[in-house]
Amino acid sequence: MTKKPDVIYAAPLNKIIDFTFDERVAEVFPDMIQRSVPGYAMMISTIGIMAARYAQPGSHCYDLGCSLGAVSLAMRQQISQPDCDIVAVDNSLAMVERGRELLSRDQGATVPVTMICADLRDIVIENASVVVLNFTLQFIPPVERQRLLERICQGVNPGGILILSEKIAFTEPVKQQFHDQLHLDFKRANGYSDLEISQKRTALEKVMIPETLACHQQRLQTAGFTFSTVWFQCCNFASLVAIK
Ligand code: GEK
C-alpha cells in the first residue's frame, strides 16, 4: 500500500469537527493507522495466519469495517481451504473505492474478495468461519455492541472464530494514565506533534469509545462464544479471539 503522509491535524484548526472516514482520511490511512496503532502490522499478518487455520471449506470470511482491506488481503494470501470467499464491508465510500483499487492490484491470491459499501449492522452474517472486527467495534455505539456480537455469533459455524481488536480502557486510573502516556510517546516517536495529537483526540472523543477487556470478554461470552482469549496486546491496543 502507498503511504501518503498523514498531516490532517498538523495545522491549527479553528473548529474541530467529529472524525469521519472521508476522502482525506482514506488517502493517508495506511500511514495514519501504522503511526497511531502500536502493533498494527503484526496484528494484520497474524490475523492472516489465524484465518488460514480456522477458515472452513465452502464458508465465508468477513472483514467488517475493512477500511482499505488490509485484513482481507492478509487473509486471502494465507487461506488455502477450497471454496472460501471473503466479504469485506465498510460504510465509507472513500475507503471502499480505494480498497477495491488495491485489491485489483493484488495478483496471485485466488480467494475471491467482495468489497461492499454498507453499514456492517445491515449485513447478514451466515455460514461464517472467520469474522474480523479489526478496530471497528469501537466506532459502533456501545448500546448496539451486544446485539451485533450476538448476530455475528449466530452466523458463525461451530469451530469458527471472531477476531476482535480494540483500543482498550482501564478501570484503574493508574493503569489508564500509564497507557495513555505510553501511547502519547508512541505517537510522538512516530513524528506526530502535540498539536496533531490533541486535535485528533478531540475529533475522536465522541466517535470512538474504548471499553475494558473485561467488558469485551463478558460480551463475547453472553453473545454465545465458547471461550475467548487475548492473543495480542501492545500498550492500550488489544486483540481477542473468540471461538464458537
Ligand atoms: C484495518 N479494519 O485496516 N459499518 C461499516 N463500517 C464502519 C462502521 C459501520 N457501522 N463504522 C465504522 N466503520 C481496518 C481498520 S478503521 C479503525 C478499521 C481506525 C469503518 C470506518 O469507515 C473505518 O474504515 C473502519 O470502520 C475503522 O484493519 O481507523 O481506528
Side-chain angles (χ1 to χ4, degrees):
M1 286 187 188
T2 49
K3 289 228 182 72
K4 192 167 185 254
D6 167 23
V7 289
I8 291 176
Y9 293 101
L13 300 165
N14 288 332
K15 187 172 185 290
I16 299 172
I17 53 164
D18 284 351
F19 189 87
T20 53
F21 291 93
D22 58 13
E23 182 57 41
R24 287 175 73 210
V25 170
E27 204 182 15
V28 300
F29 190 71
D31 181 66
M32 174 186 278
I33 197 150
Q34 188 120 16
R35 287 164 69 207
S36 309
V37 176
Y40 174 74
M42 165 71 93
M43 277 186 258
I44 294 291
S45 58
T46 313
I47 288 170
I49 293 166
M50 268 197 270
R53 169 161 297 275
Y54 285 95
Q56 298 167 352
S59 69
H60 304 299
C61 300
Y62 291 86
D63 176 6
L64 303 177
C66 60
S67 298
L68 301 179
V71 164
S72 296
L73 289 170
M75 291 202 293
R76 92 184 308 199
Q77 278 152 19
Q78 296 289 338
I79 291 172
S80 58
Q81 286 84 344
D83 303 322
C84 283
D85 68 359
I86 298 170
V87 181
V89 182
D90 204 289
N91 64 355
S92 155
L93 184 60
M95 287 289 192
V96 169
E97 282 177 349
R98 277 175 183 272
R100 284 181 184 147
E101 198 187 311
L102 292 168
L103 271 176
S104 72
R105 284 194 233 145
D106 180 50
Q107 302 297 325
T110 53
V111 181
V113 182
T114 310
M115 205 176 263
I116 301 169
C117 185
D119 192 308
L120 64 91
R121 289 166 291 184
D122 299 332
I123 294 289
V124 176
I125 311 289
E126 57 190 356
N127 183 23
S129 53
V130 178
V131 179
V132 183
L133 284 165
N134 203 41
F135 302 108
T136 306
L137 192 69
Q138 59 198 13
F139 294 102
I140 302 292
V143 290
E144 297 182 39
R145 294 179 186 179
Q146 185 64 54
R147 176 78 199 109
L148 173 63
L149 294 190
E150 277 163 20
R151 258 193 344 97
I152 291 173
C153 189
Q154 280 158 17
V156 171
N157 297 333
I161 58 169
L162 167 66
I163 297 169
L164 172 66
S165 313
E166 291 276 292
K167 182 175 186 184
I168 52 168
F170 299 83
T171 42
E172 290 167 68
V174 63
K175 286 190 187 168
Q176 186 67 57
Q177 278 157 22
F178 172 85
H179 284 287
D180 284 345
Q181 188 59 55
L182 188 55
H183 188 219
L184 196 63
D185 291 343
F186 174 86
K187 286 190 283 191
R188 282 187 186 131
N190 283 328
Y192 282 122
S193 67
D194 286 355
L195 176 70
E196 281 176 291
I197 295 168
S198 113
Q199 293 193 130
K200 188 172 179 198
R201 191 190 300 125
T202 305
L204 278 171
E205 220 154 48
K206 291 194 221 97
V207 179
M208 193 192 83
I209 301 167
E211 294 173 302
T212 62
L213 270 178
C215 175
H216 290 302
Q217 281 161 328
Q218 182 57 56
R219 262 209 206 101
L220 290 167
Q221 194 184 343
T222 308
F225 288 97
T226 308
F227 98 104
S228 73
T229 185
V230 176
W231 65 271
F232 184 90
Q233 185 176 342
C234 187
C235 313
N236 43 354
F237 292 80
S239 189
L240 299 115
V241 59
I243 305 198
K244 186 163 170 189

